[in-house]
Amino acid sequence: MTMTILVTGGAGFLGSHLCERLLQDGHEVICVDNFYTGSKDNIRHLLAHPRFELIRHDVWLPLYIEVDRIFNLACPASPVHYQNDPIATVKTSVLGAINMLGLAKRRKARILQASTSEVYGDPQVHPQPEAYWGHVNSIGPRACYDEGKRCAETLFFDYHRQAKVDIRVVRIFNTYGPRMHPHDGRVVSNFIVQALKGDPITLYGDGSQTRSFCYVDDLIEGMTRMMDQDAVIGPVNLGNPSEFTIRQLAETVLRLTGSRSTLEYRPLPQDDPAQRQPDIAKAAAALDWTPYVALEDGLEKTIDYFKKTLNQ
Ligand code: NAD
Ligand code: UDP
Ligand code: UDP
């Protein structure tokens, strides 16, 4: 069935891939973005599509449009960007959630929240299942994002219980791929851009902290499956359970790019989680979903993308 689907943050990294996928599935897509971290370049190829519409708008502000479904992705996701204007980050997460939930309530539209593994903070349970309540510093530099996203989850579940809004919540773990901004600041884009330019690879701390990296196509498949099923509202973890140290990631990027960049050690940022790996048993059972793209294959595609972008 063709639906009109709103994607907030649709001009960002994940949002642009999601808009593309929803158009392929035959839907009308309305992309809302204020271009804080996203870019028109990410969706330029969609602008002439007859079923695509772009609205420059800030989700802190009310939005009255007619839609059947909402994917709420608007929020800077890179620590560098979300800490640049932390008050804006909290406003985007909290006021954005309230406005989009108000819209969903009025329209009786299903709404999916792009939540995050950051709700687990610096986790003391490993890997992280959805039942884990997390270990978050509420006043640290990451709190604007972590607590903003936690409050958004609270709002989603309260609107569900109190106003019967049809919600879905996914907790996304580190995802990478083409259309990450070259100055995004997240580790995969940083390392690839540094390796391609021959600049030093900036390793924060001793590089022994771990992350589990999911390729964007796998993630988008999981998000659309979550939206399309009726059995589970979430939260459901989405991510790739293959766990690597950040030093291993640096070495892999150096090998795949053939770069002679050196490793440069920098101080570990405050509250940087020591380890992170999703438990995806719930997604496997509820969505029949599992990620397929191995880190090296995803990195190759991402490296190809950055080679083209940097040469433009
Ligand atoms: P991104 O920064 O590329 O995209 C975010 C988009 O939201 C940008 O286009 C930005 O301009 C837009 N935006 C920000 N504030 C806005 C506002 N007030 N009004 C309207 N638009 C606004 O990041 P991304 O990686 O694509 O992340 C998308 C979503 O997924 C975010 O909510 C993020 O928290 C979540 N997420 C991503 C990851 C990941 O690894 N990529 C992991 C966990 C959660
Ligand atoms: N809202 C919106 N679009 C809509 C409906 C509501 O942006 O189509 C906003 C509205 O600004 C409101 C918020 O969503 O402040 C929350 O809506 P809700 O119905 O919960 O709030 P109320 O109107 O009862 O204050
Ligand atoms: N990191 C790094 N060098 C960089 C960027 C990040 O060593 O240039 C580390 C960072 O300290 C963290 C991990 O890589 O331990 C992932 O960082 P990212 O900002 O991508 O996302 P996070 O998972 O911390 O939100």
Side-chain angles (χ1 to χ4, degrees), residues 196-211:
L196 291 177
K197 288 183 164 174
D199 293 342
I201 305 281
T202 52
L203 267 179
Y204 302 162
D206 62 4
S208 64
Q209 70 272 35
T210 69
R211 294 293 186 274

Side-chain angles (χ1 to χ4, degrees), residues 253-267:
V253 168
L254 283 175
R255 181 163 48 77
L256 295 178
T257 52
S259 169
R260 293 214 243 151
S261 290
T262 52
L263 297 184
E264 184 178 293
Y265 288 87
R266 301 239 181 118

Side-chain angles (χ1 to χ4, degrees), residues 50-84:
R51 284 184 278 105
F52 184 77
E53 212 175 321
L54 171 66
I55 304 176
R56 183 192 286 256
H57 175 82
D58 197 312
V59 293
W60 304 351
L61 302 169
L63 178 67
Y64 285 80
I65 54 174
E66 307 311 305
V67 296
D68 305 309
R69 282 187 175 177
I70 305 167
F71 284 89
N72 189 37
L73 273 65
C75 187
S78 151
V80 177
H81 288 124
Y82 68 64
Q83 290 175 25
N84 179 48

Side-chain angles (χ1 to χ4, degrees), residues 108-301:
K108 299 192 175 19
R110 181 173 293 177
I111 179 168
L112 180 145
Q113 168 69 356
S115 191
T116 168
S117 53
E118 284 284 319
V119 301
Y120 303 121
D122 187 3
Q124 294 176 315
V125 169
H126 196 71
Q128 295 81 54
E130 292 83 350
Y132 178 49
W133 287 356
H135 179 233
V136 177
N137 176 1
S138 65
I139 56 171
R142 294 175 86 101
C144 58
Y145 184 73
D146 300 9
E147 298 290 10
K149 288 283 187 177
R150 285 170 70 96
C151 184
E153 284 198 3
T154 306
L155 285 161
F156 267 69
F157 278 81
D158 283 334
Y159 268 81
H160 174 65
R161 283 186 288 255
Q162 196 177 325
K164 307 284 173 270
V165 173
D166 186 14
I167 61 160
R168 301 288 182 274
V169 175
V170 291
R171 292 181 178 155
I172 302 168
F173 285 64
N174 296 65
T175 301
Y176 69 98
R179 300 209 197 108
M180 294 185 92
H181 195 281
H183 304 300
D184 179 272
R186 280 177 280 189
V187 69
V188 174
S189 44
N190 267 12
F191 284 3
I192 292 177
V193 171
Q194 289 161 349
L196 291 177
K197 288 183 164 174
D199 293 342
I201 305 281
T202 52
L203 267 179
Y204 302 162
D206 62 4
S208 64
Q209 70 272 35
T210 69
R211 294 293 186 274
S212 309
F213 298 101
C214 184
Y215 187 65
V216 59
D217 291 357
D218 283 333
L219 197 274
I220 298 298
E221 179 64 33
M223 278 179 98
T224 52
R225 282 187 190 218
M226 183 69 183
M227 183 60 119
D228 288 340
Q229 55 79 42
D230 295 320
V232 176
I233 61 171
V236 169
N237 288 339
L238 292 179
N240 191 322
S242 314
E243 186 183 9
F244 299 88
T245 67
I246 297 303
R247 200 176 324 108
Q248 282 175 319
L249 177 72
E251 285 158 2
T252 310
V253 168
L254 283 175
R255 181 163 48 77
L256 295 178
T257 52
S259 169
R260 293 214 243 151
S261 290
T262 52
L263 297 184
E264 184 178 293
Y265 288 87
R266 301 239 181 118
L268 189 68
Q270 189 192 327
D271 296 341
D272 199 280
Q275 52 181 3
R276 184 181 290 154
Q277 184 191 33
D279 177 336
I280 58 165
K282 202 167 163 184
L287 313 178
D288 190 23
W289 175 84
T290 189
Y292 286 105
V293 182
L295 181 66
E296 293 206 2
D297 298 335
L299 286 177
E300 295 267 20
K301 291 178 206 238

Side-chain angles (χ1 to χ4, degrees), residues 61-65 98-103 105-106 159:
L61 302 169
L63 178 67
Y64 285 80
I65 54 174
I98 291 174
N99 286 326
M100 291 309 109
L101 285 161
L103 172 58
K105 183 176 116 185
R106 180 179 60 79
Y159 268 81

